Amino acid sequence: MTVGTLTVDWLPVGLLAGAAVGLVATLGMDLPMGRLPEGPTAPRVAAGTLSDATLDSAPDGVATAAHYGAGVATGVLFLSGVTAARWLLDGIAPAVVAAAAALFVLMNWFFSFVVVPTYGRVPDERVGPVRRDWALSAAAYLLVASALVAVGLAVA
């Protein structure tokens, strides 16, 4: 088993690479998100939470900023998770899969059990479909991020 090392030299490159992965993965996530019945609701929930507005009146600019800002930050988190997993696991594929699985759980838990209840304005009959569409969108995000990182690490 090869044990990796984390150094301060990795930090600037890791942050930029993670942000780039996050941006591309968010763009990839937009495709299914835009086609799912409740897909576009997640950014509006975030915007409503940040601006104390209803779903219908949540500012579009805040929704877009929250969506892409969270996507970019999540890319940094994902790449950090892959780096940590590579330190513990042998091989790129197991590290990417482990980080993606952990982040999928974290993304869905945070949105479903922190953001939606904190916002409190999603009608009860829509909560389940919003969570389902968010989970599908998060899976698309992680599929794109996983492919980018796995290929990037394999080539590097």
Side-chain angles (χ1 to χ4, degrees), residues 2-121:
T2 304
V3 178
T5 59
L6 294 176
T7 65
V8 174
D9 296 338
W10 175 87
L11 190 61
V13 173
L15 289 173
L16 290 174
V21 165
L23 178 60
V24 173
T26 304
L27 291 168
M29 172 191 212
D30 287 346
L31 296 173
M33 184 179 262
R35 293 176 181 214
L36 293 166
E38 291 288 356
T41 305
R44 299 199 70 73
V45 168
T49 301
L50 294 170
S51 64
D52 195 30
T54 65
L55 278 176
D56 295 333
S57 66
D60 290 336
V62 175
T64 300
H67 178 59
Y68 284 97
V72 167
T74 301
V76 173
L77 183 62
F78 179 65
L79 190 57
S80 299
V82 171
T83 301
R86 283 189 73 195
W87 188 72
L88 297 169
L89 302 171
D90 190 22
I92 293 169
V96 170
V97 169
L103 193 53
F104 181 77
V105 170
L106 179 63
M107 289 170 77
N108 283 287
W109 172 83
F110 183 73
F111 180 75
S112 294
F113 298 104
V114 176
V115 176
V116 171
T118 298
Y119 180 55
R121 295 182 187 172

